[in-house]
Amino acid sequence: MSTTHSERLRGLLEPLVSAKGLDLEEIEVSRAGRRRVLRIVVDSDDGVDLDACAELSRTISTALDETDVMGEDEYQLEVTSPGADRPLTERRHYVRAVGRLAKIQFHEGDDFVARVLAVDEEGLDLEVPGVKGRKPTARRVEFASIAKARVELEFNRKDKKEEEA
């Protein structure tokens, strides 16, 4: 997708997504046989449900039909939310990950898995799990030191309500 085409799509889609109270995370145009696939990834602080994706898809489809931004070729429109394994790249992604485990890789040094406790403008407050019965430790990480980060899926985490019972 050329920069001009990408900019035109973003210019058309961003106001539509924002009007629904969502964040436009990604726009991807790819080939699937003879037709193209326009994949739009949206998110919000409260997550995105199927109904919101369907409603936004209808809105976007109408807007695309009224413009020539996708050209004359056939395309398939997909509106989706990011998967659980999506990278954390923006501050808002980290805010949405508060309370969850994240694998953090640094520009220099090791990587580790820790629970995101708080997020501010400069970085994260983390709780690094203790190893072999040791207590967890607190750690402060600046955004500038992070090369990559991703939420880790937890299949056996107890809910705080369960722990208090």
Side-chain angles (χ1 to χ4, degrees):
M1 178 167 62
S2 72
T3 303
T4 306
H5 186 234
S6 176
E7 289 170 356
R8 286 184 67 205
L9 270 172
R10 185 163 289 280
L12 175 68
L13 299 175
E14 209 145 34
L16 300 173
V17 172
S18 294
K20 302 286 185 190
L22 302 172
D23 296 316
L24 180 59
E25 297 291 346
E26 185 179 338
I27 301 170
E28 179 184 307
V29 178
S30 60
R31 285 253 170 229
R34 295 185 319 210
R35 77 171 73 150
R36 295 172 296 163
V37 176
L38 172 58
R39 185 170 185 259
I40 300 164
V41 180
V42 296
D43 202 3
S44 79
D45 290 344
D46 300 322
V48 181
D49 63 18
L50 189 58
D51 291 337
C53 285
E55 181 181 336
L56 182 60
S57 180
R58 288 188 291 275
T59 301
I60 290 172
S61 181
T62 300
L64 289 171
D65 289 347
E66 293 171 353
T67 69
D68 66 344
V69 73
M70 287 302 291
E72 297 297 320
D73 294 340
E74 287 184 33
Y75 67 91
Q76 177 179 333
L77 174 62
E78 294 179 4
V79 177
T80 186
S81 61
D85 63 343
R86 75 111 180 263
L88 303 173
T89 58
E90 304 283 334
R91 181 184 174 278
R92 69 178 179 263
H93 299 160
Y94 290 98
V95 169
R96 292 172 186 157
V98 168
R100 300 190 66 190
L101 284 179
K103 182 174 184 177
I104 314 282
Q105 296 177 338
F106 297 95
H107 293 290
E108 295 182 19
D110 291 334
D111 59 322
F112 63 85
V113 175
R115 190 162 311 281
V116 180
L117 298 177
V119 180
D120 60 30
E121 296 302 319
E122 288 82 38
L124 315 168
D125 291 323
L126 303 170
E127 178 184 77
V128 181
V131 180
K132 296 183 181 176
R134 294 185 184 152
K135 290 185 177 183
T137 57
R139 181 159 178 188
R140 174 74 182 170
V141 173
E142 303 298 321
F143 287 125
S145 66
I146 300 173
K148 293 190 324 187
R150 181 178 306 275
V151 168
E152 289 283 292
L153 297 179
E154 294 180 81
F155 295 106
N156 60 352
R157 180 174 182 210
K158 291 181 181 174
D159 190 348
K160 285 189 177 193
K161 291 178 185 174
E162 289 177 28
E163 290 176 6
E164 292 171 359

